[in-house]
Amino acid sequence: MSDLLHSKLDIVRRKRSVVSIATGVAAAVALVVGVTFVTAMLDWWFNLSYTTRAILFALQMAAAVTLLLKLSIWPIVRGPDEETLALSVEQHWPVFRSRLISAIQLGRPEALPVGAAPGLVTQLVRETEQIAGAVDFGQVVTTRQMTRVAALCVALVAAGGAATAYGQQTAVDLIKRAVLVPGVEVPRKTRVRVSEGDRFIARGDSITLTATADGLVPKQGTLITTNAKGVRQSYSMAPDPNVPDGFSITIGAVPESFTYTVQLNDGVSPSYRVETVERPAVASIAVRQIYPQYTGLSDVPQAPGDMSFLAGSRMVLDVTATKKLMLRPAEGGQRSVVRMIGTDVTYPLELDINDPAKAHASHDGPRSIPLPPGTRAMRIELVDETGVTSKNETEYRIDVVPDRPPTLAVTSPAEREVLVTPKGLINVGFDGTDDFAIAQLELKYRPLPATEEPEFPINGLTGQYFDKRDFAGRSQTRIDPAIEFDFEQKSPMAGIPVDNFSVRWRGQIKPLESGTYTFTLDTDDGVRLWVDGKKIIDEWHDGDFDAVSQPIELSADKAVDITLEYFENAGNAHVTLMWARKDEQPQVVPTEVLFNLDAPKITAANAAARAAKAIPLEIGHSPKSTRGFYPWKIESLGASAPIGTTFEWWIEARDNNDQTGPGVATSEKYLMRVVTEAEKRAELMGRVGDYFGEINAVREGQVDLSTKLGTMVQEKPAATP
């Protein structure tokens, strides 16, 4: 085919493509602009939901893509061939008289049949080129449809721009909502914010509904409710004095579920629902006691109405509720727990994944819970899957029975005080029993001072240090002149751990001057402070902080009781007790105003415990009972038992309680005085004399009795014949 004719037809093809693309784009833009503004107006009137707007947006996008495909893409992809283009040119320019089509068809290779004259075809092409050179093939493609569509598009865009300029931010927000920009609300003079939205409440409970106005704040609002039967009711919402620009209303004793909207000025909230449900309750519980391992006892079931636990036992608690419980509460939300009455301890209820109406109590992993000291009952508090809580829960009584300490007696010697020589011995007899097992038996002794103990100071507070953080376990006592300790990461005293210990200081405080005092505790971790019977600080939690009390009136030279409780969890540990009168800087409470009237007894007891020595007694492997003798040779005391020394001795038994004990039993105290052999012989002779005196008294008594019997026989009257 001729290059000229080919280029002329390409002009037609390119113009058709441009017109198709322009028409399709203009039509798609006009559709999107028009539908967007229609959606925006409908949204303004009816506050369309996100789902409705999403459907409209999807439909307009589908229509726009369809227009582009139909008007732009397909006309190009499926464009006309050269014969069709040539036909359209000849229809527009009849001067060709079929020459153009013939020249195209006959100009192709192998188009002429065998025997045809090529010269005629060449002449035809030359004539066609002469005609085509004077003709504008581009006029064949009409632009009327493109012009009309483009004009419509320009008109819609101009109208939309004018409307946007007139509506300003309102129009912008409506367009954003139409194209699904998140977080944009329908622009109103007043926008209504309902923070709580859908709610669940127990049937018959009251509910308070609140809303906040943004923009123009009205004097009052309106709550519109609709129940399941379609009955609508309106309530006036008064301003909430506790919430800026807020409105609230309380509906009492709600009997059934309903939907509601809040209207403030021209603003209307989305529709929300209040669902009424039954409260969760306990359908049944199953309780088992896990005895401490040291007892060797197997687990036993407990009747919920009469539960008795050995101290140190753990409880296995399985709960079945009347409905499904909340599986994973939101952060800070309530969850189902078992509350131990008599303490501040709660344990979570872990739900059965296969049946959320069933749960079990757990603590630190195991499917069981300990019984904190002071526990007297438990209460099961439930939260259902909607967040509604139980009410008026049953309290299940729990008796925590302490493990009794061993019983112990010294069976010999019979005398409470004996004299021994340096080479003598005492056969110490003992008899002990325990409910479970005696772990240790010791013979303890200490020398008594030859003179009276000096008086002990009474300034300072008695500090009782426990090796557990809940004032349980083993304890030791000492007198602390002031409460100003920085234990760092060390033990406060021998036998007390570095972490997880507690201290209780008690005594009296007597100010030198009257006034209003404020107490401050610089502490890490929890503290509680009572002064004159009033709890003035209660910060029982972990952390490094200053706890400041409310002011309290104290009188000069008048002593009042003071108690300070402290626990250490982990890490650094410090506690300082300070006070200050009005407008003064806090300072450490000085020793001279702190008093402990029990100081002599406590100090003497501690000194005796430190000075005492022990001799282990062989009893076998943890028997429940033991009985035997220990030959206590005085020479084993060595230089610590010179003649004239008096020893106080006793026997002490410990059981195998490794949970709340061990339980300790102490026999009565006995005295042993080391004397010379002469003093011992004198004592023995005295005992012999006493023995013979007793024998003589018995003999004389028997003689006297025989004499009286003989007299009675002789005086008996003769029988009457």
Side-chain angles (χ1 to χ4, degrees):
M1 185 179 69
S2 166
D3 291 339
L4 175 62
L5 296 179
H6 183 74
S7 64
K8 286 284 189 176
L9 290 176
D10 279 346
I11 291 173
V12 178
R13 181 178 283 108
R14 287 195 297 271
K15 188 172 181 179
R16 283 174 58 90
S17 298
V18 171
V19 170
S20 296
I21 292 173
T23 302
V25 171
V29 171
L31 175 68
V32 169
V33 172
V35 174
T36 297
F37 274 89
V38 169
T39 302
M41 294 305 297
L42 291 174
D43 195 19
W44 168 261
W45 289 326
F46 301 111
N47 192 7
L48 301 179
S49 66
Y50 183 86
T51 302
T52 303
R53 288 183 281 119
I55 293 173
L56 292 175
F57 183 76
L59 290 175
Q60 75 173 353
M61 289 296 102
V65 171
T66 301
L67 286 175
L68 285 173
L69 290 173
K70 182 177 181 180
L71 299 179
S72 297
I73 306 301
W74 295 125
I76 296 174
V77 174
R78 299 181 178 179
D81 55 17
E82 289 184 333
E83 285 87 347
T84 304
L85 292 175
L87 179 60
S88 65
V89 172
E90 288 195 354
Q91 289 175 347
H92 190 79
W93 301 102
V95 68
F96 283 103
R97 296 180 181 179
S98 301
R99 287 186 179 86
L100 181 57
I101 294 176
S102 298
I104 290 172
Q105 292 177 340
L106 295 176
R108 292 193 178 99
E110 300 179 357
L112 292 176
V114 177
L120 293 176
V121 175
T122 302
Q123 182 63 32
L124 174 64
V125 171
R126 187 177 299 116
E127 290 177 358
T128 304
E129 287 179 344
Q130 290 176 355
I131 297 172
V135 174
D136 182 6
F137 275 30
Q139 294 182 11
V140 174
V141 181
T142 179
T143 59
R144 288 191 300 272
Q145 182 182 7
M146 180 191 72
T147 303
R148 290 195 297 269
V149 174
L152 175 62
C153 177
V154 170
L156 288 174
V157 171
T164 302
Y166 177 78
Q168 299 180 355
Q169 189 60 43
T170 298
V172 172
D173 288 347
L174 288 172
I175 293 172
K176 287 181 178 179
R177 285 175 57 85
V179 297
L180 306 181
V181 174
V184 181
E185 298 181 0
V186 174
R188 297 282 189 248
K189 293 180 181 179
T190 301
R191 292 185 178 182
V192 182
R193 300 191 182 278
V194 179
S195 59
E196 295 174 320
D198 294 336
R199 301 273 297 277
F200 288 90
I201 64 169
R203 182 170 288 109
D205 272 11
S206 300
I207 186 171
T208 299
L209 301 175
T210 61
T212 304
D214 288 345
L216 183 63
V217 181
K219 292 183 178 180
Q220 68 176 22
T222 302
L223 174 72
I224 302 172
T225 65
T226 306
N227 64 13
K229 297 179 180 179
V231 178
R232 291 166 55 91
Q233 286 184 287
S234 296
Y235 303 88
S236 294
M237 298 184 71
D240 191 335
N242 300 318
V243 180
D245 302 331
F247 296 81
S248 65
I249 183 173
T250 299
I251 303 176
V254 178
E256 59 181 349
S257 304
F258 62 88
T259 58
Y260 72 94
T261 57
V262 177
Q263 181 174 348
L264 302 175
N265 269 349
D266 61 343
V268 179
S269 74
S271 179
Y272 298 105
R273 183 168 181 80
V274 174
E275 192 78 28
T276 59
V277 297
E278 297 297 333
R279 289 188 184 276
V282 174
S284 64
I285 65 171
V287 180
R288 283 189 300 117
Q289 177 180 193
I290 301 178
Y291 281 101
Q293 188 175 2
Y294 76 86
T295 65
L297 300 177
S298 302
D299 301 353
V300 296
Q302 291 276 6
D306 184 21
M307 292 186 289
S308 179
F309 287 80
L310 178 67
S313 297
R314 295 181 70 93
M315 174 192 292
V316 177
L317 173 63
D318 293 312
V319 179
T320 301
T322 55
K323 59 190 305 189
K324 293 181 179 180
L325 303 178
M326 182 171 289
L327 184 61
R328 293 182 180 88
E331 184 177 355
Q334 289 182 291
R335 65 177 302 171
S336 300
V337 299
V338 53
R339 185 176 302 278
M340 312 311 289
I341 308 301
T343 72
D344 296 328
V345 178
T346 61
Y347 299 113
L349 291 176
E350 302 294 340
L351 270 60
D352 185 336
I353 297 178
N354 299 319
D355 186 357
K358 295 183 178 181
H360 64 271
S362 68
H363 176 65
D364 293 340
R367 189 172 172 169
S368 61
I369 56 175
L371 299 175
T375 299
R376 55 180 176 80
M378 71 176 182
R379 185 169 63 236
I380 300 171
E381 301 173 358
L382 303 178
V383 182
D384 71 10
E385 59 185 346
T386 67
V388 173
T389 61
S390 57
K391 190 175 182 181
N392 300 325
E393 299 91 348
T394 301
E395 287 194 5
Y396 300 90
R397 179 180 172 182
I398 299 174
D399 291 327
V400 180
V401 181
D403 181 6
R404 294 178 299 181
T407 59
L408 182 64
V410 174
T411 57
S412 69
E415 299 83 6
R416 297 295 297 274
E417 181 177 359
V418 296
L419 303 181
V420 295
T421 64
K423 294 188 177 295
L425 66 80
I426 300 176
N427 277 319
V428 178
F430 52 86
D431 188 354
T433 59
D434 186 71
D435 292 336
F436 301 105
I438 298 176
Q440 185 182 54
L441 198 66
E442 293 179 325
L443 171 62
K444 290 193 170 184
Y445 64 94
R446 69 181 184 93
L448 293 179
T451 59
E452 292 185 359
E453 293 278 351
E455 292 188 1
F456 298 94
I458 63 173
N459 284 107
L461 298 180
T462 300
Q464 189 173 7
Y465 292 71
F466 296 83
D467 63 2
K468 297 184 184 297
R469 61 175 287 178
D470 53 359
F471 305 105
R474 300 180 182 180
S475 69
Q476 299 188 49
T477 305
R478 73 183 184 196
I479 299 171
D480 293 319
I483 311 304
E484 186 181 11
F485 297 103
D486 186 358
F487 302 121
E488 299 177 343
Q489 296 186 22
K490 301 177 182 177
S491 169
M493 65 187 302
I496 302 299
V498 174
D499 295 320
N500 289 309
F501 65 87
S502 55
V503 189
R504 180 182 288 118
W505 287 282
R506 286 187 288 195
Q508 291 186 326
I509 185 169
K510 184 165 65 175
L512 301 178
E513 298 179 12
S514 300
T516 301
Y517 287 80
T518 300
F519 289 81
T520 302
L521 281 162
D522 178 12
T523 181
D524 181 354
D525 292 296
V527 287
R528 293 191 288 236
L529 178 64
W530 290 262
V531 175
D532 198 15
K534 302 173 184 176
K535 183 189 286 187
I536 60 175
I537 291 179
D538 189 0
E539 298 288 347
W540 203 246
H541 56 81
D542 296 348
D544 186 351
F545 56 90
D546 287 345
V548 181
S549 76
Q550 295 294 324
I552 184 171
E553 292 288 335
L554 298 177
S555 300
D557 297 327
K558 180 182 178 182
V560 296
D561 293 337
I562 181 171
T563 301
L564 170 59
E565 292 183 346
Y566 165 77
F567 82 85
E568 155 63 3
N569 183 20
N572 291 325
H574 62 84
V575 59
T576 300
L577 175 63
M578 298 177 286
W579 69 348
R581 288 197 300 169
K582 188 176 181 181
D583 299 326
E584 292 180 352
Q585 291 296 320
Q587 63 177 353
V588 177
V589 178
T591 303
E592 57 264 25
V593 302
L594 299 176
F595 296 89
N596 182 348
L597 302 180
D598 295 329
K601 179 180 65 177
I602 296 170
T603 307
N606 289 344
R610 286 193 296 270
K613 296 182 180 180
I615 301 174
L617 301 179
E618 182 63 36
I619 59 173
H621 181 65
S622 300
K624 280 192 173 184
S625 62
T626 182
R627 177 180 296 177
F629 290 89
Y630 174 72
W632 189 11
K633 296 180 179 180
I634 309 306
E635 62 181 0
S636 65
L637 302 179
S640 64
I643 292 175
T645 305
T646 300
F647 288 89
E648 183 180 50
W649 65 273
W650 63 96
I651 295 179
E652 185 174 284
R654 293 175 180 268
D655 63 19
N656 64 342
N657 183 349
D658 57 2
Q659 295 295 312
T660 59
V664 179
T666 303
S667 71
E668 294 183 349
K669 301 291 180 67
Y670 291 77
L671 295 178
M672 173 184 71
R673 185 156 57 92
V674 182
V675 298
T676 64
E677 293 185 0
E679 289 177 305
K680 180 62 177 177
R681 283 195 296 270
E683 184 218 13
L684 292 176
M685 292 302 295
R687 288 188 182 183
V688 170
D690 292 340
Y691 174 73
F692 282 115
E694 291 176 358
I695 293 177
N696 186 55
V698 171
R699 182 185 62 78
E700 292 178 353
Q702 290 178 340
V703 170
D704 183 59
L705 179 60
S706 299
T707 302
K708 289 182 178 180
L709 287 174
T711 303
M712 292 174 62
V713 171
Q714 293 175 358
E715 292 178 352
K716 184 176 180 181
T720 305

